[in-house]
Amino acid sequence: MRILTATLIATLLAGLTTAASLAQDEARWAIVVHGGAGVIERESMTADTEAAYRAALDAALETGGAILSEGGSSLDAIEAVIRDLEDNPLFNAGRGAVFTAEGRNELDASIMDGSNLNAGAVAGVTGIRHPITAARAVMENSRHVMLAGEGAEIFAREQELEFVDPAYFFTERRWRSMERAVGDLGLPLPERPAGAPEPEEIQEGHLDLMEREHRFGTVGVVALDQSGHIAAGTSTGGTTAKRWGRVGDSPVIGAGTYATESCGVSATGTGEYFIRLNIAARICHELEVMDRGAEERAFAAQDAADMVIQGALTDLGGDGGVIVLSGSGETAWSFNTPGMYRASWGSDREPVVAIYGDED
Ligand code: ASP
């Protein structure tokens, strides 16, 4: 009888321990965020600007971390964080997007659910306040993966998404950067858009700095939720002075965004390179091959990211970077530019926010 009781207790205890470790496993979550890569250097950054970027990245981690730690889905975390970044004029997404050579803001975004390979994207939209929400609506409420231009806006109206006057996206510094780029290309200067505020005074030196710093500024998030699902999303205004309905990598599934059951990637950089190299899907492929190797590889996400960014992208002459998340919750980033706005956090680690190449 005593033995029986002891066995029973031992079995119960073992059950409890397994349940506890399972609960611990289940409680695992992670998030990694980027706010664009480019020529971001200490000497060209004012203390105020740097603090503003760090605060925005901190807030992004807090928003995403709160959703994930409470058991929310990776898709919800991604959408919430990107919506905030789209509202923040510091970033080249939503408000603060760069201008085309015709003086318009044409926005691109995509999202992918790694648990079922569902994906949605919008390209070249001009009035949708939150392109990432439109991308998610395409994924969840249409038969398609990517909608472009007017058709995407008709769909977004049917979905009752929020629309704004195109002047909402206007920022003086992006306008000035476009004016310069258009001048360099020998193109005519477009007219200031209707509804844009009166021109602001911006110091010449400051403009140089902004131009270098803000050549990029795309935003992206990859998250792992407590159910073990990975998702990835990206939102951008594209590249300054783009022409003819140019679409970059950000809304292209496989190029700027990709997610599977065991990998998620969001990219930033010159889209023309990321599209041709299929960067995001390629990193996931490399990562999965490494994970299938004979021995379990630590730092597989870092190795896969470096292999593709420092290898294939750099070899082709492209510039930019990626954030990566693996099924085991490992987060990584890799970029070949002097800096990348980036941040990560997880249930088993402290939050990290970094800007320059020599930080981590
Ligand atoms: N990848 C974006 C594009 O080419 C731009 C960026 O990430 O800065 O549209």
Side-chain angles (χ1 to χ4, degrees), residues 301-345:
Q302 189 62 57
D303 291 348
D306 285 340
M307 182 184 291
V308 174
I309 297 302
Q310 312 304 332
L313 179 71
T314 307
D315 291 348
L316 194 64
D319 53 355
V322 286
I323 50 171
V324 184
L325 180 59
S326 76
S328 63
E330 179 198 350
T331 55
W333 40 60
S334 185
F335 49 97
N336 65 3
T337 46
M340 176 160 94
Y341 299 108
R342 59 202 190 275
S344 73
W345 192 20

Side-chain angles (χ1 to χ4, degrees), residues 65-359:
I67 293 171
L68 295 165
S69 62
E70 281 161 21
S73 73
S74 45
L75 284 172
D76 284 349
I78 286 164
E79 187 185 355
V81 171
I82 294 185
R83 283 173 68 96
D84 283 352
L85 295 170
E86 285 174 340
D87 282 344
N88 187 332
L90 287 176
F91 298 97
N92 172 20
R95 185 152 177 258
V98 300
F99 285 91
T100 67
E102 292 79 33
R104 288 152 51 93
N105 301 110
E106 295 180 355
L107 313 172
D108 305 330
S110 66
I111 194 162
M112 185 159 186
D113 181 346
S115 68
N116 50 22
L117 300 191
N118 283 344
V122 292
V125 296
T126 57
I128 301 171
R129 177 167 175 187
H130 293 295
I132 194 66
T133 298
R136 187 168 179 185
V138 171
M139 173 171 80
E140 292 176 344
N141 305 331
S142 84
R143 293 182 291 118
H144 305 300
V145 168
M146 190 195 285
L147 302 181
E150 210 190 317
E153 301 205 330
I154 293 172
F155 169 76
R157 283 199 197 279
E158 282 179 20
Q159 294 290 307
E160 299 182 357
L161 301 191
E162 186 178 351
F163 272 74
V164 287
D165 186 285
Y168 164 83
F169 299 113
F170 185 97
T171 52
E172 191 65 37
R173 70 162 201 270
R174 298 294 193 193
W175 182 259
R176 298 288 180 93
S177 299
M178 179 277 295
E179 281 186 334
R180 277 200 173 191
V182 156
D184 290 347
L185 291 168
L187 297 170
L189 283 188
E191 260 182 47
R192 220 174 152 83
E198 287 301 303
E200 277 169 44
E201 263 312 306
I202 293 190
Q203 289 164 7
E204 233 356 76
H206 206 175
L207 193 64
D208 265 0
L209 180 160
M210 286 179 338
E211 183 154 315
R212 293 199 297 146
E213 246 178 47
H214 300 293
R215 201 175 132 213
F216 301 125
T218 295
V219 303
V221 181
V222 187
L224 167 72
D225 64 27
Q226 293 186 34
S227 311
H229 295 153
I230 295 178
T234 311
S235 181
T236 189
T239 48
T240 303
K242 62 186 181 180
R243 300 180 73 190
W244 306 299
R246 178 264 188 195
V247 176
D249 59 311
S250 307
V252 178
I253 296 300
T257 302
Y258 202 66
T260 67
E261 272 184 316
S262 55
C263 171
V265 176
S266 169
T268 175
T270 308
E272 283 69 10
Y273 292 86
F274 286 71
I275 292 175
R276 286 177 292 155
L277 290 167
N278 200 28
I279 294 277
R282 189 169 180 152
I283 291 175
C284 282
H285 173 76
E286 295 295 351
L287 175 57
E288 280 156 14
V289 168
M290 286 178 194
D291 271 349
R292 273 201 300 271
E295 286 164 40
E296 178 126 325
R297 275 201 50 183
F299 311 118
Q302 189 62 57
D303 291 348
D306 285 340
M307 182 184 291
V308 174
I309 297 302
Q310 312 304 332
L313 179 71
T314 307
D315 291 348
L316 194 64
D319 53 355
V322 286
I323 50 171
V324 184
L325 180 59
S326 76
S328 63
E330 179 198 350
T331 55
W333 40 60
S334 185
F335 49 97
N336 65 3
T337 46
M340 176 160 94
Y341 299 108
R342 59 202 190 275
S344 73
W345 192 20
S347 48
D348 58 354
R349 73 202 79 152
E350 295 295 309
V352 177
V353 169
I355 297 179
Y356 309 110
D358 58 8
E359 276 181 272

